[in-house]
Amino acid sequence: MTVNAIPPIGFGFWKVAREDAAQTAYEAIKAGYRHLDCACDYGNEAEIGQGVVRAIADGIVTREDLWITSKLWNTFHAPQHVELGIRKSLQDLGLDYLDLYLIHFPIALEFVPIETRYPPEWVHDPAADNPRMHRAKVPLHETWAAMEALADKGLCRHIGVCNYNSALVHDLMSYARIAPHTLQIEAHPYLIQDKLVRLAHDYAIHVTAFSPLGALSYVELDMAGSGDSVLTETVVQTAAQAHGKSPAQVVLRWGVQRGTSIIPKTSKPERMRENLDIMDFELTGGEMEAISALDAGRRFNDPGVFAQAAFNTFHPIYD
């Protein structure tokens, strides 16, 4: 069956080690995932492609069964470089087209040739005495027009954006010839982004939540502490006991039930299956409200914080 809509539960490949990515992709598909969320910046698309080819060769899926997303990196924002970005991802993934191609961040950086360094990452010259991000003067509307050209050429079936705020969504909708299919944002019970999700839905834009379990993706990067886990919250634990599910399943169900798709990540096949097993129960209205009430505006993935710390550049995109 051809996947015509983005599946509610996908598999995220951020921070999946390159040496593990091929097997992880294969195991994820084998476990039942049909949406694979990839990106140039993750540095593992060639290996993911190997896993996809193997799964297709083994008859587990066909290409049409899969929804594969990738993202335009910051250094490819200039119109003359946008197609270069997608063609490199397609080459690495071994695909003729993407189901969805997203602008990864509303951040334009100076171009880095693929031959010089790939993925280009954040700093312009890692060997410099003071490595920094080098901003490029590329308006987002120019990047979007080039994204539309990709869709016109059939290189991707849908286009969208990541990490946009409400003002940028309003602005995008004022000039888009092809409306964005998806807005991908950080969203979990500590950062529910209710107004932004509501706005996207009002514009008929699908919302995908990355880091749907919150801090778990960031502890190993020292961007969160072990005490930041939403899974230990009483309301989550109580709901888990009531439904005979794990706390993680309750949080993931909350994400799907509020109308977003989610892209959890794990390296363990048993956890892959557990994360998928959330469609056979429904949280009550009271449970949904109680989990949403955990909102603390706690953003873990914030360029206004990590760019200064890691790349010697203060570059906030959220107020």
Side-chain angles (χ1 to χ4, degrees), residues 2-319:
T2 300
V3 175
N4 293 315
I6 193 165
I9 312 165
F11 192 92
F13 281 90
W14 179 49
K15 296 197 296 83
V16 174
R18 180 174 293 176
E19 61 268 23
D20 300 329
Q23 184 64 24
T24 299
Y26 181 83
E27 293 292 347
I29 294 170
K30 187 177 178 181
Y33 290 88
R34 294 298 176 263
H35 175 201
L36 307 182
D37 184 79
C38 315
C40 154
D41 189 53
Y42 302 164
N44 54 14
E45 288 191 320
E47 291 73 21
I48 294 168
Q50 293 168 14
V52 170
V53 167
R54 180 183 165 199
I56 292 173
D58 285 357
I60 299 173
V61 290
T62 66
R63 169 64 184 97
E64 290 71 29
D65 293 328
L66 297 173
W67 180 291
I68 299 180
T69 297
S70 188
K71 306 177 188 77
L72 178 80
W73 186 238
N74 305 335
T75 56
F76 295 106
H77 271 223
Q80 66 269 29
H81 299 141
V82 171
E83 186 171 331
L84 178 67
I86 193 173
R87 287 194 180 277
K88 174 58 174 170
S89 284
L90 288 171
Q91 179 186 35
D92 284 351
L93 289 165
L95 303 175
D96 296 323
Y97 69 91
L98 292 170
D99 296 275
L100 177 64
Y101 198 50
L102 304 170
I103 295 176
H104 203 150
F105 282 95
I107 299 173
L109 299 179
E110 285 186 11
F111 176 64
V112 175
I114 292 173
E115 299 77 19
T116 299
R117 188 173 66 255
Y118 191 88
E121 302 179 338
W122 291 83
V123 300
H124 187 71
D125 181 7
D129 291 337
N130 183 34
R132 294 177 54 87
M133 296 161 54
H134 285 194
R135 301 182 181 100
K137 293 185 177 181
V138 183
L140 286 170
H141 73 85
E142 292 186 2
T143 305
W144 187 255
M147 295 282 285
E148 292 173 325
L150 302 181
D152 291 338
K153 291 182 177 181
L155 295 174
C156 52
R157 291 183 170 176
H158 305 282
I159 52 177
V161 295
C162 301
N163 302 300
Y164 271 41
N165 59 26
S166 295
L168 288 179
V169 171
H170 284 303
D171 188 54
L172 173 59
M173 295 304 292
S174 74
Y175 59 73
R177 173 174 61 85
I178 299 176
H181 177 279
T182 293
L183 168 66
Q184 187 177 123
I185 55 172
E186 179 182 348
H188 43 75
Y190 286 159
L191 183 71
I192 69 173
Q193 303 223 63
D194 199 47
K195 290 180 180 178
L196 183 54
V197 171
R198 181 179 173 184
L199 174 67
H201 288 166
D202 192 56
Y203 275 127
I205 302 171
H206 178 77
V207 177
T208 294
F210 70 79
S211 301
L213 294 172
L216 293 184
S217 297
Y218 301 94
V219 173
E220 64 190 74
L221 300 176
D222 293 326
M223 295 166 69
S226 57
D228 290 322
S229 176
V230 69
L231 304 184
T232 62
E233 293 284 354
T234 300
V235 294
V236 173
Q237 297 269 346
T238 300
Q241 292 173 5
H243 295 280
K245 294 290 184 175
S246 70
Q249 286 174 313
V250 166
V251 173
L252 296 177
R253 176 66 200 184
W254 170 86
V256 169
Q257 200 166 314
R258 72 192 294 243
T260 66
S261 60
I262 56 174
I263 44 173
K265 169 225 146 185
T266 179
S267 60
K268 300 176 180 178
E270 63 273 17
R271 190 61 57 81
M272 291 179 185
R273 293 188 291 270
E274 178 184 312
N275 289 346
L276 278 174
D277 187 24
I278 62 171
M279 304 305 287
D280 61 348
F281 76 106
E282 186 169 328
L283 297 170
T284 68
E287 288 167 338
M288 289 291 294
E289 291 176 6
I291 294 172
S292 295
L294 296 172
D295 183 34
R298 180 70 167 91
R299 188 185 302 278
F300 296 104
N301 196 325
D302 187 348
V305 176
F306 70 70
Q308 175 73 62
F311 312 126
N312 301 309
T313 311
F314 181 58
H315 196 99
I317 59 174
Y318 311 112
D319 296 329

